């Protein structure tokens, strides 16, 4: 079924692309798909069994949805992506830049058994068959693939994570754990809130002024008559990745805004607390 996505024209090919498997639509990046090394996707609201404000593909157990519905959503997505739900490992997000290395022993944590960790907004692994999972409703998903050392990373980067350079923190963690070199990495900035929709206060804009060179300010934010600012998280994360050493040709940036597409994606700015969560998935193929 063709859907009328609202896309923010960034020039070039539309990214990410919609795919569908077993009745479950999801979004994927050609940069990762063409590597042949990973299974990955970014969920939509569609294809699940949740009801009401969680309708229908909600992946969080903590917002009041029926746990049986959430579990069925995981089963459906696992089948669509051809990954093992029992070997998924979920982040425990609190807007940090903490990154956890996932091992085989972490399989099922956050779904089938309790997590024994907290305050983890980034996950990395070199274990084939282990699926990393992070959650979103406007914040930025960051996907990483090191095809040389066969390692992956998946991170959650809201404005706090972005201004603290979560992308760089993830690359550094992969370097320490696997020997990853940023110049080898393929990186994608996933669906999240666009600059046109992301109004912030002066205090947030000032944090970005402190972190980013003045030459980027006009690209990253502008002030409005009401004293508020519009902030570009997509471009911010692109700059972070490039300054960390990822090659420009190895980066794909989304053109899909969560707030602009509330019929297809959960958005905190659109719905507030009465909503579900989207999820990003990334797995090294066996």
């Amino acid at each position: 079924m063709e859907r009328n996505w609202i896309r923010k024209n960034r020039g070039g090919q539309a990214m990410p692309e919609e795919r569908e498997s077993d009745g479950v639509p999801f979004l994927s990046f050609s940069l990762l798909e063409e590597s042949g090394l990973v299974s990955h996707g970014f969920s939509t609201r569609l294809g699940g069994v949740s009801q009401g404000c969680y309708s229908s593909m909600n992946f969080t157990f903590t917002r009041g949805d029926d746990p049986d519905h959430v579990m069925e959503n995981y089963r459906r997505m696992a089948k669509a992506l051809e990954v093992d739900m029992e070997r998924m490992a979920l982040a425990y997000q609190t807007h940090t830049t903490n990154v956890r290395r996932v091992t085989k022993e972490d399989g099922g944590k956050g779904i089938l058994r309790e997590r024994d960790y907290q305050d983890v907004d980034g996950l990395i692994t070199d274990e084939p068959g282990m699926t990393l999972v992070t959650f979103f409703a406007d914040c930025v998903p960051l996907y990483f693939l090191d095809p040389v050392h066969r390692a992956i990373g998946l991170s959650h980067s809201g404005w706090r994570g972005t201004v603290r350079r979560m992308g760089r923190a993830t690359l550094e963690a992969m370097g320490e754990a696997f020997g990853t070199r940023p110049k080898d990495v393929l990186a994608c900035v996933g669906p999240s809130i666009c600059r046109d929709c992301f109004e912030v206060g002066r205090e947030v804009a000032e944090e970005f002024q402190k972190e980013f060179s003045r030459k980027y300010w006009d690209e990253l934010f502008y002030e409005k008559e009401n004293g508020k600012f519009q902030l570009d998280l997509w471009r911010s994360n692109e700059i972070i990745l490039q300054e960390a050493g990822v090659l420009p040709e190895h980066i794909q940036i989304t053109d899909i805004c969560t707030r602009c597409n509330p019929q297809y994606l959960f958005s905190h700015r659109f719905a507030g607390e009465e909503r579900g969560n989207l999820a990003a998935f990334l797995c090294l193929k066996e």
Side-chain angles (χ1 to χ4, degrees):
M1 176 181 176
E2 184 174 348
R3 275 170 272 275
N4 296 318
W5 290 96
I6 296 174
R7 291 182 179 264
K8 314 301 286 192
N9 186 5
R10 298 177 56 85
Q13 187 178 1
M15 285 296 158
E17 303 160 329
E18 183 181 339
R19 301 178 60 205
E20 186 166 325
S21 178
D22 292 304
V24 176
F26 58 92
L27 299 167
S28 72
F29 285 93
S30 60
L31 188 67
L32 299 178
E33 192 69 29
E34 291 168 3
S35 75
L37 297 175
V38 296
S39 298
H40 82 287
F42 187 81
S43 70
T44 74
R45 292 188 62 161
L46 311 176
V49 299
S50 295
Q51 303 294 317
C53 65
Y54 311 108
S55 175
S56 66
M57 187 62 88
N58 164 50
F59 286 105
T60 180
F61 291 97
T62 63
R63 305 189 69 85
D65 195 4
D66 184 330
D68 291 336
H69 289 170
V70 181
M71 192 71 73
E72 176 60 21
N73 292 341
Y74 276 103
R75 292 190 189 98
R76 293 188 177 198
M77 183 58 76
K79 184 178 180 182
L81 296 178
E82 298 181 342
V83 299
D84 185 351
M85 187 177 77
E86 295 184 354
R87 290 193 285 174
M88 289 181 177
L90 277 55
Y92 195 119
Q93 296 166 199
T94 52
H95 296 280
T96 70
T97 55
N98 298 331
V99 180
R100 175 182 174 86
R101 181 174 182 175
V102 169
T103 67
K104 293 179 180 178
E105 287 68 36
D106 292 318
K109 288 183 180 178
I111 304 177
L112 303 175
R113 54 198 179 110
E114 291 296 323
R115 287 164 288 195
D116 55 358
Y117 50 87
Q118 297 181 1
D119 304 322
V120 171
D121 285 76
L123 301 169
I124 60 173
T125 193
D126 62 350
E127 295 279 1
M130 289 296 298
T131 300
L132 311 180
V133 186
T134 51
F135 305 98
F136 305 90
D138 282 335
C139 293
V140 182
L142 301 174
Y143 295 77
F144 301 87
L145 167 61
D146 175 357
V148 176
H149 297 90
R150 298 294 181 99
I152 55 175
L154 187 63
S155 293
H156 161 263
S157 187
W159 78 258
R160 292 177 180 84
T162 297
V163 82
R164 296 170 186 156
R165 296 186 177 254
M166 182 51 156
R168 183 180 66 191
T170 308
L171 288 165
E172 290 175 348
M174 292 178 69
E176 293 173 6
F178 315 123
T180 293
R181 299 171 298 183
K183 68 178 183 178
D184 297 325
V185 169
L186 308 180
C188 299
V189 176
S192 42
I193 197 164
C194 72
R195 184 170 75 164
D196 293 341
C197 292
F198 194 39
E199 182 184 80
V200 300
R202 180 175 299 276
E203 70 284 358
V204 175
E206 288 175 348
E207 289 294 312
F208 279 76
Q209 287 177 336
K210 294 174 186 176
E211 181 59 36
F212 289 87
S213 170
R214 180 180 290 272
K215 67 182 180 181
Y216 294 125
W217 289 3
D218 289 343
E219 297 179 66
L220 298 185
F221 50 79
Y222 64 89
E223 186 174 5
K224 302 186 297 182
E225 291 183 359
N226 64 359
K228 299 289 188 177
F229 291 75
Q230 297 298 129
L231 178 63
D232 192 335
L233 293 178
W234 298 349
R235 179 62 177 139
S236 299
N237 279 283
E238 184 178 24
I239 292 168
I240 290 166
L241 295 173
Q242 290 179 355
E243 290 187 342
V246 182
L247 301 178
E249 60 268 29
H250 288 176
I251 301 173
Q252 283 188 337
I253 310 294
T254 191
D255 61 1
I256 291 180
C257 168
T258 44
R259 175 63 179 80
C260 289
N261 293 278
Q263 70 275 45
Y264 304 137
L265 303 170
F266 293 115
S267 167
H268 181 76
R269 285 292 177 110
F270 179 83
E273 295 296 332
E274 298 298 315
R275 57 163 176 82
N277 271 356
L278 306 163
F281 300 84
L282 183 60
C283 177
L284 272 175
K285 291 183 177 179
E286 295 184 281

